[in-house]
Amino acid sequence: MTLTKADIIDVLYNNGFSRKQSVRLLESLLEIIKSNLEKGDSLLISGFGKFSVREKGSRIGRNPKTGEEVIINERRIVSFKCSTVLRDKINGIQ
Amino acid sequence: MNKSQLIEALAKEENLPIKKAEEVVETFFSDMEKALIKNQRVEVRGLGSFKIKEYGGYHGRNPKTGDVIKVTPKKLPFFKVGKELKERVDIHNYR
């Protein structure tokens, strides 16, 4: 079983939002999260974790199939660090 | 940006009372949290997916004192960034 957007929309609907509004609000929330990260700003959700944007320098990689060396360009990536509160809950530590 | 700033941004964007925006944000993160605690996968298209990865225990060493430390097995959520977010964050699209 995988939790998807549809499940989150169902919960919002059961909490009293209309179907249409539930979809709209979730999409709007996701857009705010994404554009914030796009700007390079991190997102800290206490009790859940932190999403941050990291800059990775260019490096020489290798095609594992052919062994050919390729230049991997510098890039920006999103990384997630789980909060210790959530980590303990996942590991059954109270 | 933190959670309360996210709530404010949503309230402003959608012209919602803060309380309602808070409900949406809390629902979103608590649903994901509950799923992960149950060892369920989470998939939010455009943003990314989470799954629980299990790490085995090992004997580590305190590099300062040289003491052997037993690291117990643990579970951690692993986040894989979604295609849309990955492309939007990447430097080449940003610049």
Side-chain angles (χ1 to χ4, degrees):
Chain A
M1 253 286 284
T2 302
L3 182 88
T4 63
K5 276 186 199 175
D7 300 304
I8 298 162
I9 289 162
D10 281 345
V11 177
L12 290 172
Y13 176 66
N14 290 330
N15 286 357
F17 292 100
S18 73
R19 271 271 159 217
K20 218 175 151 185
Q21 208 182 13
S22 302
V23 174
R24 187 193 158 90
L25 293 177
L26 180 61
E27 288 302 336
S28 180
L29 172 64
L30 292 171
E31 183 48 40
I32 294 167
I33 293 173
K34 287 182 279 193
S35 56
N36 180 67
L37 291 167
E38 193 178 353
K39 280 188 291 178
D41 194 3
S42 59
L43 176 69
L44 175 67
I45 305 295
S46 62
F48 188 80
K50 184 181 180 184
F51 296 89
S52 47
V53 176
R54 283 173 33 206
E55 311 243 347
K56 308 259 271 183
S58 68
R59 62 184 169 91
I60 293 168
R62 206 179 274 277
N63 180 332
K65 222 174 201 169
T66 62
E68 205 183 331
E69 282 191 350
V70 280
I71 293 164
I72 298 170
N73 290 324
E74 54 174 350
R75 62 207 169 108
R76 297 204 316 167
I77 56 145
V78 179
S79 70
F80 174 72
K81 178 132 180 10
C82 178
S83 109
T84 53
V85 179
L86 178 58
R87 179 189 155 142
D88 284 350
K89 284 182 186 168
I90 287 168
N91 287 280
I93 302 161
Q94 291 311 306
Chain B
M1 185 184 249
N2 61 25
K3 191 155 76 179
S4 54
Q5 289 166 327
L6 184 59
I7 291 166
E8 278 168 33
L10 180 65
K12 196 175 161 208
E13 180 69 31
E14 291 297 322
N15 219 345
L16 271 183
I18 288 283
K19 274 273 161 215
K20 290 279 164 196
E22 191 176 1
E23 245 183 79
V24 176
V25 172
E26 291 293 349
T27 300
F28 178 59
F29 289 103
S30 80
D31 279 4
M32 293 198 291
E33 175 179 327
K34 282 181 214 154
L36 292 171
I37 291 170
K38 284 189 280 184
N39 219 338
Q40 270 181 21
R41 225 175 75 88
V42 173
E43 187 180 325
V44 182
R45 280 287 161 93
L47 185 77
S49 62
F50 294 90
K51 72 173 182 190
I52 300 292
K53 270 196 178 176
E54 307 214 15
Y55 296 86
Y58 59 94
H59 291 280
R61 219 174 255 280
N62 179 331
K64 222 172 203 170
T65 63
D67 292 347
V68 174
I69 299 163
K70 220 171 119 184
V71 180
T72 51
K74 59 179 173 257
K75 290 188 276 189
L76 285 177
F78 173 77
F79 175 69
K80 184 168 187 282
V81 65
K83 190 170 182 281
E84 186 202 338
L85 181 59
K86 184 180 174 172
E87 288 174 356
R88 281 175 65 174
V89 163
D90 199 347
I91 201 159
H92 302 289
N93 303 319
Y94 178 71
R95 279 186 181 156

